[in-house]
Structure formats: C-alpha cells, structure tokens
Amino acid sequence: MTAHRVVVTGGAGFLGSHLCERLLGGGASVICMDNFLTGSPGNVEHLMGRPRFRLIECDLTGFVHVPGEVDLVLHFASAASPTDYLRHPIATLKVGSLGTLHSLGLAREKGARFVLASTSEVYGDPLEHPQRETYWGNVNPVGPRSVYDEAKRFAESLTTAYRNSHGVDTAIVRIFNTYGPRMRPHDGRAIPTFVRQALNGEPITVTGDGSQTRSICYVDDTVQGVLTLAESGFEGPVNIGNPSELSMLRLAMTIRDLTGSSSPIVFVDRPVDDPAVRRPDTSLAARRLGWRPEIDVTTGLRRTISWFERELLETSRPAS
Ligand code: NAD
C-alpha cells in the first residue's frame, strides 16, 4: 500500500518535519498536527506553500478531528530530549497516554494504518546488550526519566490493545538516538550541545567520565526505516537505529576534530538514571524490512555541523 493522505503528529518537530518533507516528495498529501511545545512552524515553513501540505495547530491531548480520508497516521508527538521532558513532565505523560489514545482513535475512525514512534528508552538502563526487541527493559518507574520512558511503554501497550481489541493496523518502531539538521542547539541532547559548544569555542561538556555509550543514527536513515515500516504490513516492535556504538567522550572528540575547534573538553555531573550503554540489534529490521542504516557517523556529523554553522550564523546576524 502506498499512503496517499498521511497525518503526522508532532510534524513540526525534528523527526516529524523530515517525515513530512519525505512524504510530500513521494507524492503523499500531508497533514501536520502540532502544538509547538518543542517544535515550531519554522521547521515546516519551507513546505507551507505546497498544495498537498497542511499545518494544523492542535494539542493531541484534547479533541482531535481531521476531515476527509486518512490512510496513515504517524504518531510522533512527544517531547523527546531529556531537557524538554524534564521541563514538561506532565505534558509528556499526557501526550504519551491521552495523545496516543486520540491518535489511535483517529486511525480507527479512518481505517488507517498507525505507526507509534516509540523509543530505545523503553529498554531503560539495559541489562542486555545490544538490545533486541525481545528484551523487556530495566526502567525505574519513579525516576525522573520515567515521565518519558513509562509514557512510551504505556503507549506501546495501548497500541497493542487497539490492534488486538479493535483490529487497527498498527506498528511500533523503537527509535534509537537520531541526529541531524533541525535539532535545536539548546535542546540538551549531546550532539547539538557538543556541536554548538565546539562552533562557539566554548568548553564541550561531557557528562560523567564520558565512558557511557550511545549509537547514533543520521535522520535520513531513521526516516527511511520508519517509512519502510509504514509501507510494510509488519507490526513490530522493531528497532531502528545505527549499531555503530561510541562513547560520549569519543563523540565529543570527533565533533571537536570535525569542526576544527580548539574547545577544551570538561566533565560535568551525569544525569540520574542515565543509561550506561545503548546499541540496537537491528537484525529484525534487516530481515523483515530489508532496512539497514547507510550513512556513516563522519558523513552524518559533517552534514549536521554544516547545517548548525549556517543556523548559528543566521541567528547571530543583526536584524535589519
Ligand atoms: P521534537 O521535540 O523535535 O518533536 C516532537 C514534536 O511533538 C514537537 O513538534 C512538539 O511540539 C510536538 N508535541 C508535543 N506534545 C504535543 C501535543 N500534546 N500535541 C501536539 N503536538 C505535540 O522531538 P523529536 O526528536 O522529533 O522526536 C519525535 C518523536 O520521535 C517523539 O515521539 C520521540 O519520542 C521519538 N523518538 C525520537 C528520537 C530521537 O533521537 N530524535 C529517539 C527515539 C524516539
């Protein structure tokens, strides 16, 4: 099935805006729904003039209505960076629960396929490495990060219940750390923080001793994985991420090298319940979807750094 009319919730955010762009490029009509909590209309400004694109300001925790047919709902609305969800804990729990309920209701009403953007954070501080979809996770239900992790775990459960009880055609994608253009320089995630600090010649702040690992995936690869899942009949859950794992200290040093910066690297406190390791096992995605990440870390980081250079130049220019 090729989707013709797609609703992207959280479409004015980082991942959502890339999804909207790719869907439009593929010939679909796109309805982008967002309350601009952590995203902004600026992320989809370049799509605004297109006849098949519509931006609707809407809080998914309230009433959700879309006129006409819809054949795919991509549910991406939710604060995603720790800085954002710790600033908006209740809103994060509400969009993961009520927002998911309403988005599933929309898919049910329209007979549309539904894809939930879940996260590697459902694995918590993992006791299994790399993480396979069969791993149930190690999440502290009352820790500060639980507002995000448990909201996503609930959203996965709700999605499964809608599939089993209401026959909605659902899929769950567990996305691992994704980076690229349109991340906000101050969103608190490691890559935008390190790139901004390196480009501004400020100290690069690595948390803990920097030995904790992440596996970072360039946004184009993640978007390709999500859309391949959407087009398939597969229900998941399926990991989408890049298995090339690196320590936070190595990431900071790589970004410093690629920017040509002489920023010192300094060590600051590690956040509570910060996972020690993170690496997806992507064999299920390869087997069921034929998907593999294609963009290596250096290429992805170079593209991201070029975008940040332009952005920082733009914002530092005096208004005329
Ligand atoms: P983002 O913060 O850039 O985008 C989230 C969007 O959701 C924003 O535009 C925000 O305004 C919108 N939103 C939040 N609450 C809403 C509500 N109640 N109603 C309508 N819109 C609302 O984050 P992102 O990195 O683009 O993440 C998008 C999705 O992908 C999230 O669901 C996140 O959990 C998931 N994800 C992202 C990553 C990653 O590395 N970027 C990793 C795992 C999962």
Side-chain angles (χ1 to χ4, degrees):
M1 177 207 78
T2 302
H4 299 297
R5 198 152 183 263
V6 185
V7 168
V8 183
T9 77
F14 161 54
L15 281 181
S17 63
H18 285 275
L19 282 166
C20 290
E21 199 174 285
R22 277 284 287 278
L23 285 160
L24 282 170
S29 294
V30 176
I31 301 158
C32 167
M33 302 179 91
D34 207 295
N35 68 349
F36 311 129
L37 181 73
T38 55
S40 84
N43 282 337
V44 288
E45 205 176 4
H46 61 298
L47 307 176
M48 230 68 111
R50 307 243 195 128
R52 284 182 283 101
F53 181 73
R54 212 170 135 205
L55 173 63
I56 299 178
E57 182 169 359
C58 159
D59 183 342
L60 291 166
T61 65
F63 176 72
V64 176
H65 174 68
V66 175
E69 288 179 12
V70 172
D71 30 29
L72 175 64
V73 176
L74 300 177
H75 180 41
F76 275 67
S78 170
S81 92
T83 307
D84 287 336
Y85 61 69
L86 294 176
R87 192 182 300 139
H88 303 289
I90 312 273
T92 303
L93 283 158
K94 281 175 79 177
V95 74
S97 52
L98 294 173
T100 304
L101 183 73
H102 296 154
S103 304
L104 279 161
L106 176 70
R108 186 183 180 204
E109 176 203 331
K110 304 289 183 184
R113 180 158 164 81
F114 176 91
V115 178
L116 171 70
S118 186
T119 169
S120 57
E121 301 300 323
V122 300
Y123 300 125
D125 193 3
L127 305 176
E128 179 179 303
H129 193 65
Q131 293 80 56
R132 274 177 305 191
E133 291 83 351
T134 46
Y135 178 52
W136 290 357
N138 177 36
V139 172
N140 173 2
V142 292
R145 301 171 71 99
S146 67
V147 298
Y148 181 66
D149 303 1
E150 296 291 17
K152 290 289 183 183
R153 289 166 68 95
F154 175 84
E156 287 201 10
S157 175
L158 193 60
T159 301
T160 307
Y162 260 65
R163 180 177 188 88
N164 294 336
S165 300
H166 292 320
V168 177
D169 176 17
T170 63
I172 296 170
V173 53
R174 292 187 181 147
I175 301 169
F176 282 65
N177 295 74
T178 297
Y179 68 100
R182 289 193 214 118
M183 294 185 96
R184 284 173 293 129
H186 289 275
D187 85 356
R189 294 186 256 204
I191 292 178
T193 305
F194 293 169
V195 171
R196 171 177 55 80
Q197 291 168 331
L199 290 176
N200 288 336
E202 295 161 7
I204 300 176
T205 49
V206 171
T207 63
D209 63 2
S211 63
Q212 68 278 20
T213 68
R214 296 293 181 271
S215 303
I216 57 171
C217 191
Y218 188 65
V219 62
D220 289 4
D221 278 333
T222 299
V223 163
Q224 183 61 41
V226 169
L227 295 181
T228 307
L229 174 65
E231 289 297 319
S232 76
F234 188 44
E235 66 197 81
V238 60
N239 291 337
I240 291 292
N242 190 325
S244 57
E245 181 180 7
L246 73 177
S247 74
M248 287 296 97
L249 181 57
R250 164 67 48 207
L251 177 65
M253 290 184 335
T254 305
I255 288 175
R256 184 171 63 177
D257 288 350
L258 291 174
T259 52
S261 168
S262 49
S263 289
I265 290 176
V266 298
F267 296 91
V268 297
D269 286 347
R270 184 123 166 251
V272 178
D273 294 339
D274 188 43
V277 288
R278 183 68 86 228
R279 173 153 57 101
D281 180 321
T282 52
S283 46
L284 184 65
R287 207 167 57 245
R288 293 299 302 260
L289 306 174
W291 175 88
R292 276 178 195 79
E294 285 175 359
I295 296 158
D296 64 80
V297 170
T298 308
T299 308
L301 285 176
R302 276 194 212 283
R303 289 185 195 173
T304 308
I305 289 165
S306 308
W307 183 84
F308 269 94
E309 276 170 339
R310 287 197 300 276
E311 270 298 291
L312 293 173
L313 197 69
E314 202 61 39
T315 46
S316 66
R317 214 171 262 153
S320 52

